Amino acid sequence: MPLFLDIHKQVEGATADAVAGAHIKDLEFQGRYGVKYLKYWLDESSGTIFCLVEAPDKESAERVHREAHGLVADEIHEVSEFS
Amino acid sequence: MPLFLDIHKQVEGATADAVAGAHIKDLEFQGRYGVKYLKYWLDESSGTIFCLVEAPDKESAERVHREAHGLVADEIHEVSEFS
């Protein structure tokens, strides 16, 4: 399945607790669209959030964020992962 | 150890092979500064690279990139990881 990394910039009130709450909502909605939010990283000082997500396409990943909590990403990149 | 996610934007010639070559150089240099480059994600279509790295501080992570291949990131964020 395609892999995407999205970026949310300058999110106000992006505390660990607030973002965890939004993530739980993503997990509740994602099954409807064949999406799997895998991990996220939070830079609380700048309000930046990165989400790693498997999805059939970019639009499905975005749709989950929109329906779950309305906080859609500023950028979404289809990526390959390497280690 | 602190965790950082950096972003390289609009990198010209950022093919999977070229980025793999640069990553190997990071691995060669990182031990000098107590840095560990863990994973990276490549969006070849836009030339965007995201690197996940453990480092004592932001400057040490950047120093490895600079000395290994000179391609320093456009942004580097100290992050907490959640899943």
Side-chain angles (χ1 to χ4, degrees):
Chain A
M1 184 134 63
L3 185 68
F4 300 91
L5 193 50
D6 78 14
I7 313 173
H8 304 250
K9 300 175 184 176
Q10 298 181 306
V11 179
E12 288 191 28
T15 62
D17 279 354
V19 179
H23 182 64
I24 286 170
K25 291 184 182 167
D26 287 325
L27 302 185
E28 288 171 5
F29 279 75
Q30 64 184 9
R32 301 182 188 179
Y33 306 110
V35 170
K36 195 170 175 187
Y37 275 87
L38 301 168
K39 282 188 182 177
Y40 63 94
W41 293 269
L42 167 63
D43 173 3
E44 207 170 317
S45 69
S46 64
T48 310
I49 305 157
F50 302 88
C51 301
L52 184 67
V53 53
E54 282 180 352
D57 49 52
K58 192 179 288 197
E59 291 71 27
S60 301
E62 187 176 40
R63 189 170 198 175
V64 172
H65 269 354
R66 189 183 306 112
E67 296 190 11
H69 45 65
L71 293 169
V72 297
D74 294 286
E75 294 180 27
I76 179 163
H77 293 268
E78 185 167 353
V79 293
S80 301
E81 178 174 305
F82 303 91
S83 56
Chain B
M1 184 136 61
L3 185 68
F4 300 91
L5 194 49
D6 79 16
I7 313 173
H8 303 250
K9 300 176 184 176
Q10 297 181 307
V11 179
E12 286 191 29
T15 62
D17 280 354
V19 179
H23 182 64
I24 287 171
K25 290 183 184 169
D26 286 326
L27 302 186
E28 288 170 7
F29 280 74
Q30 66 184 8
R32 300 182 190 180
Y33 306 110
V35 170
K36 196 170 174 187
Y37 275 87
L38 300 168
K39 283 189 181 177
Y40 63 94
W41 294 269
L42 168 63
D43 172 3
E44 208 171 316
S45 70
S46 64
T48 309
I49 305 157
F50 302 88
C51 302
L52 184 67
V53 53
E54 281 180 353
D57 49 52
K58 192 180 286 197
E59 291 70 26
S60 301
E62 188 176 40
R63 189 170 198 174
V64 171
H65 270 355
R66 189 183 307 113
E67 296 190 11
H69 45 67
L71 293 168
V72 296
D74 294 287
E75 292 180 27
I76 180 163
H77 293 268
E78 184 167 354
V79 293
S80 301
E81 178 174 304
F82 302 91
S83 56

